[in-house]
Amino acid sequence: MIFADNWATRARLWFPAVDHPSDKATVAFDVTAPSRMEIVANGTLQEVTDLGEGRTRTRWAESSEIPTYCMVIGAADFAIDTAGEVDGIEVSHWTFPADSAAGAAAFARSTEILWFYDSLFGPYPYEKLAHVQSSTRFGGMENASAIFYDQDTIGDALAASPGQAGDAQDGLTSLVAHETVHQWFGDAVTEKDWHHLWLSEGFATYFAAVFFEFNGGARGRGQAELMRQMREMMGPVFEYEAQAGEPIYAPASGSGDYTHLLNPNNYQKGAWVLHMLRHFVGDRAFFGGIRDYYASLRDGTAWTADFERVMEEASGEELGWFFAQWVGRAGHPALEVESASAGGRRTRVVVRQVQPGEPFRLFLDLALRWPGSERRETVELTAREAAFVFETPARLAEVAVDPDGWLLHELAATRPETGSESAPK
Ligand SMILES: [Zn+2]
């Protein structure tokens, strides 16, 4: 069998190209191969010609402009299953015959996934969607309309022990969702240069989690499931920050080697940027802006500034500070929160930013809890330290910081002010 595997700049090793994501193009492949092989590539199947002597020529053509890193062919003895159709788009599964049952399990939610994103982002950009077991070096590779997956990841889809089956299935669903999101973000709207890769990987990572928020998985659905997935992403972000100390946008780093860009800044922190932006502008402006961004830049390329402009238009908010802080600056806020009685039912809450460097501009949600009820407050922080006084109907029992998980931060401490007799417990 033979599979192309181009990311980042290996298309040039097998066809002549301006091998850069800023230069997208349509593409057609004529593949002459032994007749026992099935051929898959980008776009639509145009022609299959029997050349005699056991050879067949197959032509695939993609009519939309795609980046060179997504232009591929695959040739193997495949079992091909048509999974269904979504909005006129055929979804198919291409697996090695011995792995077709595992493939059916791995790709079990492929049509549901396509339907969801087609509804969320706007019409799917290509003519078909093939999920293909392959020899790619990556777990999955988002080649336009012909996604390639690591052969063992698919082949082992049924191998999880019963106790892990739900999480293992969700892991595969998350992978398929991630690669499917890339069809819109990465493939159709492509980062104009490598250092804006978060526009591809951050989007795929975040909207894969959003799939579970709306459609559920083994651990449930809704805001709680989204919060769980976002919190899981914090660890890798903090670890990478400690090691690399770089912002997401770091054009000077690792020059010439693009694989270093496959890091938690572009994946998990990029996802967090979208998550925090969603909370700041609200669901209506956020999802509307995402649709506008796709509709206006489809089949083209984007810088981070293009995304910022579209989201400013969608929300009516000035967002320069937001992108400078979260994409252009390294690190994350570390917070210390103290509360103490300010007499009667009044409570004074002090929030300190204790991370190194300048303070962040933050909109921090607090849940003020007293026996039997609670109230949410959002406070804006711009300085190292800020104090707020809240009045509540009963004596305050607890101040919960960011109770719904919308802010990328570490909590240095949350406590009643020490030495105060009247501190709420
Ligand atoms: Zn990806």
Side-chain angles (χ1 to χ4, degrees):
M1 60 190 187
I2 292 173
F3 290 95
D5 200 29
N6 297 351
W7 203 94
T9 54
R10 288 178 293 156
R12 68 185 71 174
L13 302 184
W14 65 286
F15 61 80
V18 178
D19 200 9
H20 191 273
S22 63
D23 193 25
K24 298 171 77 173
T26 60
V27 65
F29 290 110
D30 289 292
V31 183
T32 300
S35 301
R36 65 181 168 75
M37 290 179 141
E38 304 284 347
I39 311 299
V40 68
N42 312 106
T44 50
L45 182 61
Q46 306 265 300
E47 207 178 327
V48 179
T49 310
D50 185 351
L51 301 177
E53 299 175 338
R55 292 185 315 147
T56 299
R57 189 175 63 224
T58 308
R59 181 182 179 84
W60 286 89
E62 174 53 64
S63 62
S64 301
E65 297 198 357
I66 59 175
T68 50
Y69 70 76
C70 282
M71 296 177 177
V72 292
I73 60 166
D77 176 12
F78 283 116
I80 307 167
D81 284 326
T82 303
E85 221 178 72
V86 174
D87 221 353
I89 305 299
E90 187 182 270
V91 180
S92 57
H93 305 159
W94 299 55
T95 53
F96 308 148
D99 291 335
S100 60
F107 301 134
R109 299 183 74 176
S110 63
T111 54
E112 181 191 358
I113 289 167
L114 179 58
W115 180 88
F116 176 66
Y117 294 130
D118 194 65
S119 315
L120 192 64
F121 302 144
Y124 175 74
Y126 304 114
E127 297 96 335
K128 60 115 185 3
L129 179 54
H131 296 281
V132 184
Q133 187 179 20
S134 78
S135 61
T136 176
R137 67 170 64 174
F138 305 106
M141 180 57 220
E142 64 266 24
N143 308 307
S145 82
I147 299 170
F148 286 4
Y149 296 88
D150 168 60
Q151 51 193 330
D152 295 331
T153 301
I154 302 307
D156 295 342
L158 296 171
S161 64
Q164 313 166 313
D167 283 346
Q169 184 64 52
D170 282 356
L172 291 161
T173 298
S174 180
L175 174 63
V176 174
H178 177 110
E179 304 306 337
T180 303
V181 173
H182 272 312
Q183 304 300 301
W184 284 263
F185 303 112
D187 299 6
V189 183
T190 304
E191 60 283 3
K192 194 173 286 203
D193 204 349
W194 297 112
H195 299 289
H196 295 261
L197 187 65
W198 83 276
L199 294 174
S200 177
E201 297 304 348
F203 277 58
T205 304
Y206 185 57
F207 287 109
V210 170
F211 174 82
F212 289 94
E213 176 192 0
F214 283 90
N215 303 282
R219 291 171 181 254
R221 70 172 72 215
Q223 164 68 23
E225 171 60 12
L226 179 64
M227 184 165 81
R228 188 187 68 78
Q229 294 208 16
M230 296 314 295
R231 286 200 167 143
E232 269 186 2
M233 293 183 203
M234 282 181 167
V237 172
F238 297 160
E239 251 171 61
Y240 186 72
E241 277 177 353
Q243 167 206 327
E246 285 177 350
I248 291 177
Y249 179 69
S253 82
S255 55
D257 167 27
Y258 298 116
T259 54
H260 87 283
L261 292 170
L262 305 178
N263 63 48
N265 265 359
N266 283 312
Y267 284 74
Q268 288 93 337
K269 192 173 182 185
W272 262 103
V273 170
L274 293 174
H275 189 58
M276 291 187 289
L277 181 62
R278 175 180 168 185
H279 190 51
F280 179 64
V281 302
D283 273 14
R284 190 185 173 87
F286 177 75
F287 288 109
I290 294 291
R291 290 178 74 90
D292 293 346
Y293 173 63
Y294 170 63
S296 61
L297 292 162
R298 178 178 173 173
D299 302 330
T301 55
W303 307 109
T304 300
D306 294 309
F307 179 56
E308 180 183 320
R309 175 181 46 78
V310 173
M311 295 311 287
E312 284 189 339
E313 284 165 11
S315 66
E317 298 278 353
E318 197 277 310
L319 296 171
W321 65 273
F322 179 91
F323 285 91
Q325 172 170 293
W326 294 113
V327 180
R329 170 182 173 178
H332 61 273
L335 303 179
E336 226 175 62
V337 180
E338 288 182 2
S339 59
S341 171
R345 289 168 182 160
R346 287 149 57 88
T347 304
R348 184 168 184 270
V349 177
V350 178
V351 184
R352 286 187 202 92
Q353 299 192 39
V354 299
Q355 75 282 347
E358 290 297 301
F360 285 78
R361 182 182 181 194
L362 304 174
F363 292 86
L364 179 67
D365 296 336
L366 301 172
L368 309 179
R369 293 176 178 151
W370 59 89
S373 193
E374 68 164 44
R375 186 173 86 228
R376 298 297 166 93
E377 294 280 351
T378 302
V379 297
E380 182 178 357
L381 309 174
T382 51
R384 278 237 154 260
E385 181 172 319
F388 309 90
V389 175
F390 301 107
E391 199 153 334
T392 46
R395 195 185 166 86
L396 205 61
E398 186 199 1
V399 178
V401 177
D402 188 32
D404 300 314
W406 287 106
L407 181 68
L408 180 66
H409 73 288
E410 271 180 297
L411 213 48
T414 314
R415 55 172 183 261
E417 217 160 51
T418 48
S420 167
E421 286 294 326
S422 55
K425 297 282 185 303

